[in-house]
Amino acid sequence: MEMKASHILVKSEEKAKELYERILAGEKFSQLAMENSKCPSARKGGDLGFFKRGRMVKEFERFCFSNKKGAVGVVHTQFGWHVIKITDVRK
């Protein structure tokens, strides 16, 4: 199974939670990623493409592989705080 996800990488939990709430309120994920993410994927709206197990850090991977397409959540890793959106799943 492969997951496709987008994310917004920020330094603080407070900022991640603020962005998460804005997404739930209807703001466009890709626009918020371009404006706020510290990851190079920001210029692609946070899109990380498809990936299999073992490609992402464990906390990030755990969220992605235990949720369904469309899920949005906040995860902390060694890189910072991620707001993640699962955009597709491929068997």
Side-chain angles (χ1 to χ4, degrees), residues 19-88:
L19 292 168
Y20 174 77
E21 293 297 328
R22 289 171 66 184
I23 291 159
L24 293 184
E27 288 192 52
K28 194 170 182 184
F29 191 100
S30 60
Q31 187 65 40
L32 290 173
M34 286 188 253
E35 294 169 357
N36 296 278
S37 186
K38 306 297 180 212
C39 180
S41 67
R43 60 182 194 277
K44 296 187 290 181
D47 184 12
L48 296 169
F50 279 98
F51 54 90
K52 295 179 179 179
R53 287 186 189 275
R55 295 289 316 229
M56 301 292 179
V57 292
K58 67 181 181 200
E59 302 89 349
F60 193 100
E61 188 174 281
R62 189 178 305 124
F63 174 83
C64 291
F65 284 92
S66 61
N67 286 284
K68 294 183 169 132
K69 181 178 175 179
V72 178
V74 175
V75 174
H76 183 248
T77 72
Q78 73 223 39
F79 300 106
W81 290 88
H82 307 259
V83 182
I84 305 169
K85 181 176 184 180
I86 300 171
T87 56
D88 206 355

